């Protein structure tokens, strides 16, 4: 059976094809009676608008590309979910790309997205592939990237949140505080906030780099070996982890070694996703405003897409800058109260 066409809907509703098109695209004034007749005809015939024809007519694909390291990570998974929900409400579909922090793979994804003529791209990948592009073929917004080149970057206040968390641990009397991170870098603001807090207190920073591409088992073994090796006269008294996954590994080590939390060993993580908070409600964490980050990223992107249709609009790659959103330190049962 042939698929019903727009003309079939018009004939069934007793209106012109132009009227059906106006109803579908919500353009111009039409009476509610006319809209009801058109929608009734659509339901009766099982009509589905031709997305390809619509995109050719409007010169828009209504597709957004999302590039993130991996949705297996709680923060990225929740971010992608919230982005997709907001984009769907704005009338967009998404193509999701897991880059695994591999620049070559990210370049291939970018080529693929441009070939699909996406209306825009939101990326949370930390490779330098996007920053090195002199110009992209669609508006682009970054989320929490260390370097964004000319493109807008939406991120949390990583430095302030980390410094506040580290200062709280210092305030509890902890003197040997370990920072667990994926990669050490001068651009790492969480690393900088931790180091500055310790230096200001006259203490020495202590880092453990687990590596982004290492397996969970390898990361756990590295952490366990490090903490086991520092249980002597000057044991690690507290951990500030750059994400809640690493924080949970530190808690698992303490439980396996019968180290009392928070009396002997304290832990603060970073991200504060709903998933981790449900599984580990006692975990202290620096909570990122994930919903607000997603809302801001979608708003910046849709504004750039709309601006492209304006004759006097500046190029899509010329509207950069950073939007920095505040974080919240959520204390829990894995830390002691600060003295005084």
């Amino acid at each position: 059976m042939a698929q019903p066409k727009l003309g079939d809907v018009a004939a069934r509703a007793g209106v012109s094809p132009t009227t059906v098109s106006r109803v579908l695209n919500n353009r111009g004034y039409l009476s509610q009676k006319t809209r009801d007749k058109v929608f009734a005809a659509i339901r009766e015939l099982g009509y589905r608008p031709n997305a390809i024809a619509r995109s050719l007519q409007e010169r828009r694909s209504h597709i957004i590309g999302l590039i993130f390291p991996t949705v297996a990570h709680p923060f990225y998974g929740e971010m992608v979910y919230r982005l997709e929900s907001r984009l769907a409400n704005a009338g967009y579909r998404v193509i999701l790309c897991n880059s695994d922090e591999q620049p070559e793979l990210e370049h291939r994804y970018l080529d693929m997205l441009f070939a699909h003529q996406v209306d825009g791209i939101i990326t949370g990948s930390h490779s330098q592939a996007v920053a090195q592009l002199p110009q992209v073929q669609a508006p682009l917004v970054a989320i929490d990237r260390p370097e964004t080149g000319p493109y807008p970057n939406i991120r949390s206040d990583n430095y302030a949140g980390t410094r506040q968390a580290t200062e709280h641990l210092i305030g509890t009397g902890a003197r040997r505080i370990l920072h667990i991170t994926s990669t050490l870098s001068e651009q790492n603001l969480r690393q900088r906030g931790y180091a500055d807090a310790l230096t200001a207190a006259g203490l020495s920073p202590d880092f453990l780099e687990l590596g982004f591409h290492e397996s969970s088992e390898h990361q756990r073994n590295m952490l366990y070996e490090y903490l086991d090796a520092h249980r002597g006269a000057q044991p690690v008294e507290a951990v500030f982890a750059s994400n809640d996954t690493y924080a949970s590994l530190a808690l698992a080590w303490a439980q396996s070694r019968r180290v009392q939390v928070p009396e002997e060993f304290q832990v603060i993580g970073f991200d504060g996703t709903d998933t981790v908070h449900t599984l580990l409600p006692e975990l202290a964490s620096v909570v990122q405003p994930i919903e607000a980050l997603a809302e801001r990223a979608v708003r910046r992107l849709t504004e750039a897409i709309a601006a492209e249709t304006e004759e006097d609009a500046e190029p899509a790659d010329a509207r950069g800058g950073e939007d920095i959103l505040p974080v919240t330190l959520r204390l829990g049962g894995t830390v002691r109260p600060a003295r005084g």
Side-chain angles (χ1 to χ4, degrees), residues 10-322:
R12 176 64 66 92
V15 298
S16 69
T18 300
T19 298
V20 175
S21 178
R22 290 171 61 194
V23 170
L24 291 173
N25 292 289
N26 195 27
R27 291 178 178 170
Y29 172 77
L30 292 168
S31 69
Q32 190 59 48
K33 181 179 179 181
T34 298
R35 293 178 182 275
D36 291 343
K37 287 196 300 182
V38 170
F39 285 127
I42 289 173
R43 289 192 298 270
E44 292 169 6
L45 295 174
Y47 172 73
R48 296 291 183 271
N50 189 319
I52 296 177
R54 181 185 176 190
S55 65
L56 290 173
Q57 180 182 9
E58 299 181 1
R59 297 184 180 180
R60 294 292 181 191
S61 65
H62 299 279
I63 298 174
I64 301 297
L66 302 180
I67 305 177
F68 282 86
T70 170
V71 292
H73 189 286
F75 172 75
Y76 295 127
E78 186 167 329
M79 176 60 71
V80 167
Y81 165 73
R82 294 179 184 275
L83 286 170
E84 185 176 11
S85 297
R86 286 192 167 274
L87 288 167
N89 291 336
Y92 292 96
R93 295 165 293 160
V94 304
I95 297 177
L96 175 60
C97 306
N98 287 278
S99 67
D100 197 31
E101 297 291 17
Q102 299 182 35
E104 300 82 4
L105 182 57
E106 188 173 351
H107 275 298
R108 293 202 298 271
Y109 277 140
L110 287 167
D111 290 340
M112 180 269 290
L113 293 172
F114 293 144
H116 280 76
Q117 297 184 328
V118 295
D119 290 345
I121 294 174
I122 298 177
T123 176
S125 175
H126 285 191
S127 82
Q128 299 304 306
V130 169
Q132 293 169 355
L133 291 175
Q135 185 174 352
V136 295
Q137 302 170 30
L140 184 146
V141 172
I143 292 180
D144 196 29
R145 288 179 55 90
E147 183 178 341
T148 62
Y151 312 111
N153 185 36
I154 315 300
R155 67 173 178 84
S156 297
D157 196 338
N158 295 298
Y159 178 89
T162 299
R163 181 149 188 171
Q164 182 183 5
T166 306
E167 287 173 346
H168 178 85
L169 292 172
I170 295 171
T172 66
R175 288 297 174 265
R176 184 156 193 190
I177 303 170
L178 173 66
H179 178 36
I180 308 173
T181 184
S182 297
T183 54
L184 293 171
S185 167
E186 293 182 357
Q187 297 175 316
N188 190 328
L189 293 176
R190 297 178 195 178
Q191 171 187 326
R192 191 184 305 171
Y194 157 83
D196 285 354
L198 285 178
T199 301
L203 303 174
S204 299
D206 193 0
F207 299 99
L208 177 61
E209 185 179 21
L210 297 184
F212 183 84
H213 295 287
E214 302 294 344
S215 67
S216 298
E217 181 179 2
H218 183 74
Q219 291 176 339
R220 180 175 62 251
N221 290 339
M222 287 179 63
L223 176 58
Y224 279 33
E225 289 173 6
Y226 187 94
L227 293 175
D228 284 340
H230 296 81
R231 294 190 66 185
Q234 294 182 322
V236 173
E237 302 170 80
V239 161
F240 170 72
S242 63
N243 61 59
D244 289 337
T245 302
Y246 294 161
S248 68
L249 289 178
L251 290 177
W253 171 84
Q255 184 178 24
S256 68
R257 303 302 191 261
R258 290 184 168 81
V259 176
Q260 297 299 309
V261 177
E263 293 81 6
E264 302 174 80
F265 186 70
Q266 301 181 80
V267 178
I268 298 180
F270 201 107
D271 288 336
T273 62
D274 291 342
T275 299
V276 174
H277 188 53
T278 298
L279 297 174
L280 294 172
E282 73 279 9
L283 176 63
S285 183
V286 179
V287 181
Q288 298 203 64
I290 301 178
E291 179 65 31
L293 290 168
E295 185 277 331
R296 186 70 60 86
V298 170
R299 188 195 336 151
R300 290 290 300 268
L301 186 67
T302 53
E303 287 174 352
I305 292 172
E308 278 202 329
T309 64
E310 300 175 7
E311 295 183 358
D312 60 344
E314 57 185 327
D317 62 350
R319 295 182 293 273
E322 280 196 322

